[in-house]
Amino acid sequence: LEDSFLQLNWSDEAKINTYTRRPFQPRLIEEVVLAYLNGDTSTQRCTSDFPDRAIIQQLIPNSNKVFRVVVGIRGDPWTIISFYSSSARRKFFKKIKHKKKHDKQKTMTEHDKQEPLAKFIANFTYYDDTNALVVNFTEEPDELAEDATKYILVYYNQTDKIMAIRIDSPTICIRGITNDKPSFTLNPTYDEERDIFKINFADSISMTTFQKTDVEDVEIEIDDEGKLVAILFHNANIKMANMCVK
């Protein structure tokens, strides 16, 4: 059936997202990529931090949004890896800016005592064919997504609250995760006094560094090798969709 209607290859992640959460139809997603391959000037190819991938994007008519398709460019035909809509003001027909070096904010030597709140994560899925970890804070469709770092994508719902994140190549960037049968343990905590929601991916370690990201109020915690230890969401009661869940 897929061979009859689709012209490109599809990852398992992309297939699942077309019929579980997202309003985009497979044919429409392929049309964006095929339009670029056919020389349509309404599309644009952006470089990716991964050498075997590219991002094809196109303005969504009558909106300030741009639709982005991440494709694997090794092999013929190309492979649809993932897709999402984003803000056209940031993404469309602008020069690809160099990734700025994040300033180190502070160093933590002692972790705060915080109460685990597992109920604030709806579910998470690891896709081995695309090597991606998707963490859903609520079960609802996403409206927009923004790049926080070169490997973290933040999804927003219709009320502009964060409802999910996607981590690219978690077997490479998360501390303690290996390529051989990767296993993930997520430990969410909430600091009520500072209003910070935090996802811990690794056990407590003696020395970590905090870095700001390109998304406001989203911060990452890394070890001395640059591996991801945790993601922090400041002003959580305002920014996080899961903080409204009873």
Side-chain angles (χ1 to χ4, degrees), residues 46-136:
C46 300
T47 57
S48 169
D49 290 289
F50 301 90
D52 59 343
R53 299 181 185 181
I55 300 171
I56 308 301
Q57 59 185 19
Q58 185 179 49
L59 279 170
I60 298 175
N62 303 316
S63 76
N64 63 347
K65 301 175 186 176
V66 60
F67 186 64
R68 312 190 86 202
V69 184
V70 181
V71 293
I73 57 177
R74 289 182 180 173
D76 186 17
W78 285 358
T79 299
I80 306 291
I81 293 177
S82 64
F83 48 88
Y84 57 95
S85 57
S86 188
S87 170
R89 291 188 296 272
R90 291 186 56 186
K91 301 295 183 184
F92 200 73
F93 291 131
K94 293 183 178 180
K95 292 182 179 179
I96 304 301
K97 62 180 181 180
H98 296 289
K99 291 289 182 179
K100 62 182 180 181
K101 186 176 181 181
H102 296 296
D103 296 328
K104 292 185 177 180
Q105 299 300 305
K106 55 186 176 180
T107 299
M108 172 180 274
T109 57
E110 184 176 322
H111 290 263
D112 297 331
K113 293 182 179 179
Q114 299 170 321
E115 180 182 359
L117 296 175
K119 65 180 180 179
F120 286 124
I121 290 183
N123 57 71
F124 65 93
T125 304
Y126 173 68
Y127 298 96
D128 57 0
D129 64 332
T130 55
N131 191 15
L133 177 66
V134 177
V135 182
N136 296 303

